[in-house]
């Protein structure tokens, strides 16, 4: 909605027809002699050698899976083996045109992608730099193992190091590149530009796009390559990522030097099949994969179909796309056709394709093709290929022996360190607001919305103690705004995006006014692409940025399910702590709009290991906890209740104007009492306080504790309270079944059993849909429900008459799935 | 002949909103304004909006930036 871009009916209503730019298909037509001159014989022999190494490496995995042995080494490899035998030309061709500083993000079929990029970088980086990279990895341990495995130095040693670090990772060894926490489909090694491979089809598209955004903002030179298969063109998040990288504002609204489409190449290794489903002709609507570029942007993403069995055609195309990306004309798309001779995985019975088809493609082997061309041109001896294969066999055997050797490549010892994986879930690191000059493009006073904020009373009550209106006093929304602005002002690494975040200020006004003082590249309106919003936040953080993104309603979490549950939550641990993900994901919890706009999903997120979760309920807590979330080097999901945005402060005298942080994970007593502990999550704090007043009239003194955070959570204040009161009631707006409220109650029962006079009660939302505004009070726990629970269960002598509707039998509901 | 005066009022902003803050005058006191031209930005806790001049003439500001007005209050007179 930027007013700068006027939608003029005189223009939009003109008669016209759309033309799509031509999409070249197999247009590469350079004589081999010319390609030889361009690249040099040594580089092309090296490309051949890389393909041979990759094939031998994967044949070794295939052999272990099929027979449990390889060249005399017996080993039971239990993990996956998605092999790319037949596809090596695509990966090595791309690597031939990429610079060491370019980043690749792999697919699930990524052994070739990883090794090709790594070997390509090793061929180009200065030896001194390679030495430094090897010395820094795991204190030099892997380099030592590589030297022991195969005598050598310089580039040869670096190659052994690469293959050993990778294979040790595939075998889940402690010396693997990712400490044995990644494995076959997830391995990566950033120093050589190999960023995470991904077992989720298409997931690298959004992450690579986010990394490309960071590279643009940081002024870095390299591009990002998002590897995916043809099957990934059926994945919504891939389309979302392509659009995000191409969105119009990058050219129309962003200022130099940050402007222009993002430098990301969507590289589809098109082997014509997903697992057994055939893409063109069966599961997809396109005939040629490259056609989809035309559906994304007027330049059709510079899409082309190229021959993936020809290293030179691929290198040529990638070099041309790379130049476009460097020239800020990204993103680009390549449809790289090739054929997977191996099965999808080792359980593939080839039921979906004929022997004849396999035979047809055996004639298009990328290795034989390049070898023949080199031999014909006199650039390779007649027995040159056989010699390379023989050498590859020897080297891979040596690497394999080292990778299964407990002394050189020790297994991860969980028995000796039972919490080893747990210790990798969070770094616990914090980066305070940098002591840097303001990055605002205008003083705060230039913004009417920020002037309005500055005029408000810091206290929530007037001199007589009466609560002030949210127009006059700092609200929970304002606390969030201030914490965000404080960090945005001083930390140029932080960028924020989400739907309608700029002029609108986010659907609920939390970022209102910020667009007056922040440029587009720091704060922008994202497309309605929840998956891409989260995936790009992850990539942006992985590549050195800090991200704050918003999902308008927590109910939309489902649209970003994989990105939150599998990517954001897991990459820190899957990198054995090498990657940091400083991402704040804000999600508002709705109200009044019924089932699809009002669900409290805090329990769902808290269930996922690897995410910190906060749910502040007061302006003071919101400001301090948001500041901590933004300082955290771990991902933090912030739940914000729409019903609480207008709450003014009623517990502290005032909300400080200065920035401050509050520790994540510490619940706080909001009202003291000796008869029952009421532990609340999010907005339940307020009905609990109302109930505490009613209970006081009945002679029951309730202690109300606001959880404030769900993950982490310090039980000490709750256990201390229960030790005094002997009773616990946990109140939450999330559906009860499997909820965080149940976890809190169960854990207090386990550790505070001796103090309890009765079993704790959990009062959550029932296990059915959130009704509309008219019925909401029958769904979310109200003050009278709390009074009912306390009096009926803990103090039956005080007031037997129930006022709420919750007089149901939980066990009979459970039998009906409720 | 008596000058005609048109008043700019705080409009009804939905059933739940009773007051709004004058966030910013977009025109200065005494300036000539055209009917339909945005002259002031007001905001509630939930939204911000520009109000247009109801008539052409000279603007006389009645309530200043930062003041909180009730629905129906006079923000300015245009004569
Ligand atoms: C989101 C998701 N859905 C399904 C799968 C299971 N799966 C793994 S690989 C694969 C086929 C992918 O096909 P394509 O993208 O063409 O890559 P290819 O396997 O051909 O290299 C499927 C369905 C998955 N890993 N992730
Ligand atoms: Mg495929």
């Amino acid at each position: 909605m930027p007013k700068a871009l006027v939608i003029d009916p005189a223009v939009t209503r003109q008669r016209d027809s759309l033309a799509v730019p031509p999409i070249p298909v197999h247009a590469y037509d350079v004589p081999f002699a010319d390609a030889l001159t361009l690249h040099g014989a040594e580089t092309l022999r090296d490309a051949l050698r890389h393909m041979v190494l990759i094939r031998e490496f994967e044949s070794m995995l295939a052999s272990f899976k099929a027979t449990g042995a390889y060249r005399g080494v017996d080993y039971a490899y239990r993990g996956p083996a998605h092999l790319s035998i037949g596809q090596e030309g695509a990966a090595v061709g791309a690597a031939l045109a990429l610079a060491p500083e370019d980043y690749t993000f792999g697919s699930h079929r990524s052994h070739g992608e990883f090794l090709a990029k790594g070997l390509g970088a090793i061929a180009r980086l200065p030896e001194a730099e390679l030495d430094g990279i090897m010395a820094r990895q795991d204190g030099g341990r892997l380099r030592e193992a590589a030297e022991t495995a195969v005598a050598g130095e310089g580039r040869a040693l670096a190659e052994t190091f690469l293959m050993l670090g990778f294979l040790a990772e595939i075998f889940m060894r402690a010396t693997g590149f990712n400490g044995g926490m990644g494995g076959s489909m997830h391995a990566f090694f950033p120093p050589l530009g190999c960023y995470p491979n991904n077992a989720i089809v298409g997931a690298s598209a959004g992450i690579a796009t986010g990394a490309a955004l960071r590279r643009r903002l940081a002024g870095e030179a390299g591009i990002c390559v998002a590897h995916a298969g043809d099957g990934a063109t059926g994945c919504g998040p891939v389309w979302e990522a392509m659009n995000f990288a191409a969105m119009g504002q990058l050219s129309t609204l962003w200022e130099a030097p940050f402007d222009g489409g993002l430098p990301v190449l969507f590289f589809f290794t098109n082997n014509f099949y997903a697992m057994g489903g055939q893409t063109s002709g069966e599961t997809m609507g396109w005939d040629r994969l490259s056609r989809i570029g035309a559906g994304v942007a007027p330049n059709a993403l510079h899409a082309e179909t190229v021959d993936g069995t020809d290293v030179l055609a691929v290198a040529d195309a990638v070099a041309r796309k790379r130049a476009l990306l460097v020239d800020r004309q990204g993103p680009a798309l390549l449809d790289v056709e090739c054929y997977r001779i191996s099965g999808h995985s080792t359980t593939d019975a080839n039921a979906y394709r004929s022997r004849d088809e396999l035979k047809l493609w055996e004639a298009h082997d990328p290795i034989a093709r390049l070898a023949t061309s080199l031999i014909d041109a006199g650039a390779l001896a007649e027995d040159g290929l056989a010699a390379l294969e023989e050498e590859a066999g020897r080297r891979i055997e040596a690497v394999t022996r080292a990778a299964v050797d407990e002394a050189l490549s020790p297994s991860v010892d969980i028995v000796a360190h039972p919490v080893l994986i747990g210790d990798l879930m969070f770094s616990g690191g914090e980066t305070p607001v940098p002591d840097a000059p303001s990055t605002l493009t205008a003083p705060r006073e230039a913004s009417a919305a920020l002037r309005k904020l500055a005029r408000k009373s810091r206290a929530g009550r007037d001199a007589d103690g009466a609560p002030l209106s949210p127009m006059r006093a700092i609200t929970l929304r304002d606390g969030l705004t201030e914490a965000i602005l404080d960090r945005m002002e001083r930390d140029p690494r932080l960028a924020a995006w989400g739907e309608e975040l700029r002029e609108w200020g986010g659907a609920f006004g939390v970022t209102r006014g910020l667009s007056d003082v922040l440029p587009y590249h720091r704060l922008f309106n994202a497309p309605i692409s929840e998956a891409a919003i989260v995936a790009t936040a992850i990539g942006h953080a992985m590549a050195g940025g800090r991200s704050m993104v918003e999902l308008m309603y927590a109910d939309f979490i489902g649209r970003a399910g994989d990105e939150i549950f599998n990517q954001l939550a897991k990459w820190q641990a899957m990198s054995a702590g090498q990657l940091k993900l400083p991402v704040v994901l804000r999600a508002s919890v709705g109200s009044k709009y019924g089932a699809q706009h009002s669900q409290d999903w805090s329990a769902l997120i808290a269930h996922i290991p690897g995410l910190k979760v906060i749910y502040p309920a007061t302006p003071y807590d919101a400001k301090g906890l948001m500041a901590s979330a933004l300082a955290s080097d771990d991902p933090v999901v912030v739940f914000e209740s729409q019903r609480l945005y207008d709450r003014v402060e009623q517990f502290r005298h005032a909300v400080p104007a200065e920035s401050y942080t509050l520790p994540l994970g510490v619940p706080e007593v909001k009202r003291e009492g000796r008869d029952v502990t009421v532990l609340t999550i999010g907005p339940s704090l307020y009905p609990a306080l109302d109930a505490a007043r009613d209970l006081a009239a009945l002679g029951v003194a309730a202690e109300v504790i606001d959880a404030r955070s769900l993950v982490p959570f310090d039980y000490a204040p709750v256990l201390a309270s229960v030790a005094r009161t002997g009773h616990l009631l946990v109140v939450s707006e999330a559906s009860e079944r499997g909820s965080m409220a149940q976890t809190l109650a169960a854990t207090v029962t386990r550790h505070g059993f001796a103090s309890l006079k009765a079993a704790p009660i959990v009062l959550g939302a029932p296990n059915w849909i959130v009704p509309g505004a008219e019925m909401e009070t029958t769904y979310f726990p109200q003050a009278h429900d709390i009074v009912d629970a306390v009096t009926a269960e803990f103090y039956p002598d005080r007031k037997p008459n129930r006022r709420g509707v919750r007089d149901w039998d939980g066990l009979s509901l459970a039998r009906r799935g409720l | 002949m008596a000058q005609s005066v048109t008043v700019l009022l705080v409009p009804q902003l939905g059933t739940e909103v009773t007051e709004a803050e004058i966030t910013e005058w977009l025109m200065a006191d005494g300036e000539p304004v055209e009917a339909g031209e945005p002259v002031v930005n007001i905001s509630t806790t939930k939204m911000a909006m520009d109000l247009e001049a109801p008539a052409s003439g000279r603007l006389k500001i009645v309530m200043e930036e930062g003041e909180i007005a009730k629905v129906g209050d006079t923000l300015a007179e245009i004569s």
Side-chain angles (χ1 to χ4, degrees):
Chain A
M1 57 188 276
K3 291 180 182 162
L5 305 176
V6 176
I7 304 189
D8 182 354
V11 176
T12 61
R13 294 166 57 79
Q14 267 170 20
R15 188 184 303 270
D16 201 353
S17 70
L18 299 182
V20 173
I23 296 176
V25 175
H26 298 304
Y28 182 73
D29 190 23
V30 177
F32 185 77
D34 295 356
L36 191 60
T37 313
L38 176 72
H39 292 284
E42 196 175 330
T43 303
L44 293 191
R45 276 194 298 270
D46 233 18
L48 179 65
R49 191 173 62 84
H50 294 172
M51 284 197 288
V52 171
L53 276 173
I54 292 168
R55 182 160 299 180
E56 184 63 26
F57 189 95
E58 292 204 307
S59 302
M60 170 266 294
L61 291 175
S63 179
F64 278 130
K65 292 302 288 186
T67 69
Y70 166 73
R71 289 174 70 113
V73 184
D74 291 326
Y75 189 64
Y77 168 51
R78 303 206 213 152
H82 297 100
L83 307 180
S84 62
I85 290 174
Q87 306 185 171
E88 298 87 346
V92 172
L96 206 51
L98 294 176
E101 69 267 23
D102 294 335
Y103 295 168
T104 55
F105 292 78
S107 68
H108 59 288
R109 194 177 302 290
S110 51
H111 304 140
E113 296 157 3
F114 177 94
L115 288 173
K117 176 66 170 79
L119 291 167
I122 288 170
R124 288 173 188 72
L125 284 172
E127 289 203 1
E129 205 167 309
L130 292 173
D131 280 340
I133 288 170
M134 288 192 280
R136 282 191 295 276
Q137 174 67 12
D138 200 8
R141 200 152 62 128
L142 179 59
R143 179 202 164 110
E144 260 174 52
E147 268 175 328
T148 312
V150 185
E153 55 181 25
R155 286 185 211 289
L157 176 61
E159 289 185 356
T160 310
F161 167 92
L162 176 76
M163 293 188 288
L164 180 56
F166 189 37
L167 187 57
E169 184 57 38
I170 292 173
F171 290 166
M172 295 279 180
R173 301 288 169 138
T175 48
F177 278 134
N178 316 112
M181 294 297 128
S184 163
M185 291 191 288
H186 311 115
F188 63 97
F189 188 56
L192 296 178
C194 304
Y195 272 71
N197 301 319
N198 216 305
I200 303 300
V201 168
S204 278
I207 296 176
T209 300
L213 170 64
R214 172 60 194 166
R215 306 204 85 177
R216 169 64 55 74
L217 299 191
E220 292 174 11
I223 68 159
C224 295
V225 180
H227 281 288
D230 47 311
T233 59
C235 301
V238 171
W239 287 84
E240 289 191 11
M242 292 191 297
N243 175 69
F244 193 103
M247 57 187 172
Q249 64 179 302
L250 294 164
S251 309
T252 54
L253 296 168
W254 290 33
E255 285 167 18
F258 307 104
D259 59 326
L262 295 180
V264 53
L265 170 61
F266 298 99
F267 187 102
F268 291 96
T269 301
N270 177 2
N271 58 16
F272 304 94
Y273 288 97
M275 285 168 63
Q278 205 164 325
T279 43
S280 173
E282 187 181 10
T283 61
M284 297 306 297
W286 47 258
D287 50 351
R288 290 278 181 184
L289 191 157
S290 50
R291 187 184 289 285
I292 68 175
V296 181
N299 64 12
L301 305 188
H302 318 284
E304 282 184 45
T305 293
V306 299
D307 181 358
T309 70
D310 181 357
V311 171
L312 298 169
V314 179
D316 167 75
V318 172
R320 286 183 290 108
K321 302 308 158 192
R322 188 178 189 283
L324 286 168
L325 300 195
V326 170
D327 194 34
R328 300 168 180 278
Q329 297 186 53
L333 182 154
L334 280 178
D335 164 20
V336 185
E337 288 185 350
C338 52
Y339 198 77
R340 160 168 63 67
I341 296 291
S342 45
H344 160 76
S345 63
T346 42
T347 56
D348 184 348
N350 277 327
Y352 51 90
R353 54 184 180 181
S354 68
R355 292 196 139 285
D356 293 344
E357 184 181 285
L358 268 161
K359 277 223 151 42
L360 291 175
W361 281 92
E362 273 163 15
H364 296 276
D365 185 311
I367 294 181
R369 177 171 184 160
L370 181 59
T372 307
S373 300
L374 283 168
I375 293 168
D376 289 350
L380 185 72
E382 285 288 338
D383 62 352
L385 178 58
L388 287 176
E389 286 170 343
E390 205 269 326
E391 184 211 316
R394 267 189 290 112
R395 289 184 76 185
I396 302 287
E397 180 187 330
V399 164
T400 305
R401 287 186 187 280
V404 301
D405 180 337
E406 274 297 325
L408 291 177
S409 307
S411 299
V412 179
D413 194 349
I414 303 280
V415 176
H417 309 279
V419 189
L420 185 148
I421 300 175
D423 289 340
L424 299 173
M425 297 306 293
F426 300 113
S427 74
E430 275 183 22
T431 305
V433 179
D435 187 13
S438 172
T439 64
L440 300 187
T441 51
R444 293 182 184 210
E445 299 72 45
S447 163
L450 298 181
R451 282 202 301 278
K452 172 181 155 176
L453 199 57
R455 280 193 294 267
K456 282 187 154 185
S457 159
R458 308 301 310 180
R461 295 175 188 279
D462 66 14
D464 304 328
L468 288 168
S469 89
M471 293 288 290
R472 291 170 173 81
I474 292 292
T475 60
L476 185 143
R477 171 194 293 106
D478 299 329
L480 297 170
T481 308
E482 290 185 347
I484 293 166
L485 179 57
D486 287 346
R487 180 102 205 176
M488 287 294 278
E489 174 168 11
R490 304 279 163 195
D491 187 352
R493 287 206 296 160
L494 177 63
W497 57 98
E499 291 154 25
E500 344 301 346
L501 278 203
R502 265 189 87 84
E503 298 82 356
W504 198 301
F508 309 101
V510 173
T511 54
R512 190 182 301 155
L514 269 53
S515 65
D516 297 332
V517 294
L518 288 165
Y520 273 98
H521 65 274
R522 298 284 310 288
L523 176 78
F524 58 91
N525 291 336
I528 316 303
S529 302
E530 285 77 11
I533 288 171
V534 179
T536 51
I538 295 166
H540 179 259
M542 234 180 227
R546 301 180 76 85
S547 317
M548 188 195 81
V549 290
E550 179 185 304
L551 297 184
M552 194 183 283
Y553 277 77
D555 306 69
F556 309 156
I557 280 172
R559 277 284 177 97
D562 173 59
E563 290 69 21
I564 299 172
F565 304 152
N566 272 321
Q567 313 293 339
L568 183 61
K570 293 181 180 170
W571 275 113
Q572 293 204 124
M574 278 166 44
S575 74
Q578 294 170 64
L579 294 176
K580 297 232 183 325
L581 289 185
V583 175
V584 170
L585 172 62
R586 298 178 40 239
S588 85
V589 183
S591 183
K592 298 193 286 196
Y593 282 19
Q596 294 178 332
H597 273 67
S598 310
Q599 180 126 34
D600 174 345
W601 264 350
S602 57
L604 178 70
I605 296 293
H607 178 71
I608 310 294
L611 300 171
K612 293 188 171 177
V613 186
I614 59 175
Y615 200 168
T618 72
Y620 178 82
D621 291 348
K623 182 168 178 180
L625 289 171
M626 177 58 90
S628 294
L630 289 166
S632 166
D633 294 337
D634 295 315
V636 183
V637 181
V638 183
F639 284 89
E640 302 169 7
S641 167
Q642 289 172 24
R643 262 180 282 125
L644 298 189
Y645 276 138
D646 275 347
R647 280 277 167 179
V648 300
E649 181 60 34
Q650 64 183 76
F651 301 93
R652 311 261 161 177
H653 169 60
V655 181
E658 312 73 55
S659 51
Y660 58 92
T661 56
L662 290 172
L664 302 180
V666 184
E668 189 179 70
V669 176
K670 300 288 190 194
R671 177 190 169 117
E672 292 184 349
R674 63 190 180 303
D675 298 328
V676 58
T677 302
V678 182
L679 174 59
T680 65
I681 296 173
S684 297
L685 170 64
Y686 294 96
L689 289 167
D690 291 345
R693 276 185 286 276
D694 292 355
L695 286 166
L698 300 172
V700 178
E703 177 143 297
V704 179
I705 304 182
D706 176 3
R708 302 201 290 187
S709 304
L710 300 184
V711 185
F713 190 83
D714 180 4
Y715 280 89
V718 183
L719 287 167
S721 172
V722 169
R724 288 191 299 275
T725 65
H727 288 294
L728 175 68
L729 167 67
V730 188
V731 192
S732 153
E733 297 196 336
S735 288
E736 274 174 24
R737 187 172 55 229
S739 69
M740 187 65 196
Q742 295 284 15
T743 299
L744 292 170
T747 309
V748 172
T749 307
R750 166 73 185 81
H751 295 279
F753 191 64
S755 321
L756 288 167
K757 297 177 195 148
I761 313 170
V762 169
L763 192 55
N767 301 311
W768 50 75
I769 59 167
V770 186
E774 292 75 359
M775 293 169 275
E776 246 177 26
T777 56
T778 68
Y779 184 83
F780 296 122
Q782 304 293 308
H784 49 250
D785 298 316
I786 295 169
V787 173
D788 281 353
V790 170
T791 53
E793 309 273 336
F794 298 149
Y795 294 95
D797 54 320
R798 303 297 163 99
K799 189 171 183 290
N801 297 331
R802 281 183 172 271
R803 285 192 289 149
V805 294
R806 295 167 174 258
D807 196 11
W808 50 59
D809 171 6
L811 294 181
S812 98
L813 289 182
R815 269 196 300 279
R816 296 166 52 207
L818 304 172
Chain B
M1 205 175 81
Q3 245 186 8
S4 78
V5 173
T6 312
V7 286
L8 172 62
L9 305 174
V10 177
Q12 184 70 48
L13 297 161
T15 52
E16 290 168 27
V17 180
T18 55
E19 50 183 22
E21 179 169 348
I22 293 101
T23 344
E24 186 172 31
W25 280 102
L26 307 173
M27 306 295 284
D29 192 36
E31 238 184 305
V33 297
E34 292 285 322
E37 188 176 12
V39 290
V40 65
N41 181 275
I42 63 168
S43 55
T44 69
T45 59
K46 293 188 178 58
M47 61 175 170
M49 66 185 296
D50 289 346
L51 300 184
E52 296 172 358
S56 301
R58 199 159 294 280
L59 179 75
K60 179 165 177 286
I61 290 177
V62 175
M63 295 187 82
E64 297 294 338
E65 171 174 325
E67 287 191 71
I68 295 176
K70 294 212 171 357
V71 169
D73 280 358
T74 299
L75 295 173
E77 293 171 354
I78 294 163
S79 53

